[in-house]
Amino acid sequence: METKAIEVLQIIESNGRIPLPTLAKMVDATEEEVQNILKKFEEDKVILSYSAVIDWTKVEKQEGVTAMIDVKVTPQRGVGFDEVAERIYRFPEVKALYLMSGAYDLQVVIEGKTMTEIARFVSEKLSTIDTVISTTTHFQLKKYKHDGVVFDQGEEDHRIVVTP
């Protein structure tokens, strides 16, 4: 893959809303070249989506609960973890699903309105899948950084430093 194409990917990964003329200047290309690069990446499923990082704690009555669920499963002959992973990621509550190394096989990230809703998902949907052996649920308490974006950096301390 050529250097300009990689540069385009790196730039839009950190800012998917960057204007096309600015992006073209940054990689020293024409707008048409950059537009063709983006179109090709979208067609080839290299660029899957453009998204925003939102601090839901600052939106009134919209804050929910996020949980990371570690799942131990029995892999199936011929398909490994793929079949059970597909069953899990089809649930609308599932925001992310990863195959992991270590004590657990999969990590499921889900969002709900309440802890009870998360508990119901685990007990009624996730743990009822035949190949699921066990689960461990972790609730997200505070988000400090996500996708490279730091949350709630707070006010800068403007006090004068006093030293003896």
Side-chain angles (χ1 to χ4, degrees):
M1 198 174 290
E2 69 177 74
T3 308
K4 281 186 192 200
I6 298 295
E7 285 181 65
V8 167
L9 287 176
Q10 291 170 335
I11 293 167
I12 65 163
E13 183 178 36
S14 64
N15 181 3
R17 293 187 58 166
I18 190 164
L20 191 61
T22 306
L23 182 56
K25 285 179 187 172
M26 290 175 78
V27 298
D28 192 29
T30 67
E31 289 181 35
E32 186 179 337
E33 287 174 317
V34 172
Q35 198 160 19
N36 289 337
I37 289 169
L38 292 172
K39 184 179 179 188
K40 175 100 170 84
F41 282 143
E42 290 168 358
E43 289 170 354
D44 292 346
K45 304 285 188 221
V46 173
I47 298 173
L48 300 174
S49 143
Y50 298 89
S51 62
V53 177
I54 299 169
D55 186 352
W56 287 106
T57 63
K58 295 182 179 175
V59 181
E60 194 174 324
K61 297 182 181 177
Q62 291 299 314
E63 191 173 1
V65 179
T66 301
M68 280 68 75
I69 307 165
D70 295 327
V71 184
K72 191 175 286 193
V73 300
T74 305
Q76 300 299 296
R77 185 178 304 278
V79 292
F81 297 102
D82 294 345
E83 195 172 280
V84 68
E86 185 176 344
R87 267 188 84 184
I88 294 170
Y89 72 60
R90 290 186 182 276
F91 290 117
E93 299 91 340
V94 175
K95 299 300 174 199
L97 176 62
Y98 307 99
L99 178 62
M100 305 295 288
S101 63
Y104 290 89
D105 304 307
L106 300 172
Q107 183 177 61
V108 182
V109 180
I110 69 167
E111 293 177 355
K113 289 185 177 26
T114 64
M115 291 175 109
T116 304
E117 191 176 306
I118 303 280
R120 194 173 298 120
F121 171 82
V122 173
S123 64
E124 296 175 5
K125 294 181 178 179
L126 188 59
S127 60
T128 60
I129 297 173
D130 295 341
T131 56
V132 171
I133 298 169
S134 66
T135 65
T136 302
T137 303
H138 310 273
F139 289 98
Q140 181 181 19
L141 302 178
K142 183 175 181 178
K143 195 180 288 189
Y144 292 100
K145 187 175 182 178
H146 180 79
D147 283 347
V149 178
V150 176
F151 284 64
D152 197 25
Q153 294 183 35
E155 289 294 315
E156 192 176 317
D157 190 355
H158 296 290
R159 295 180 292 178
I160 297 173
V161 178
V162 179
T163 56

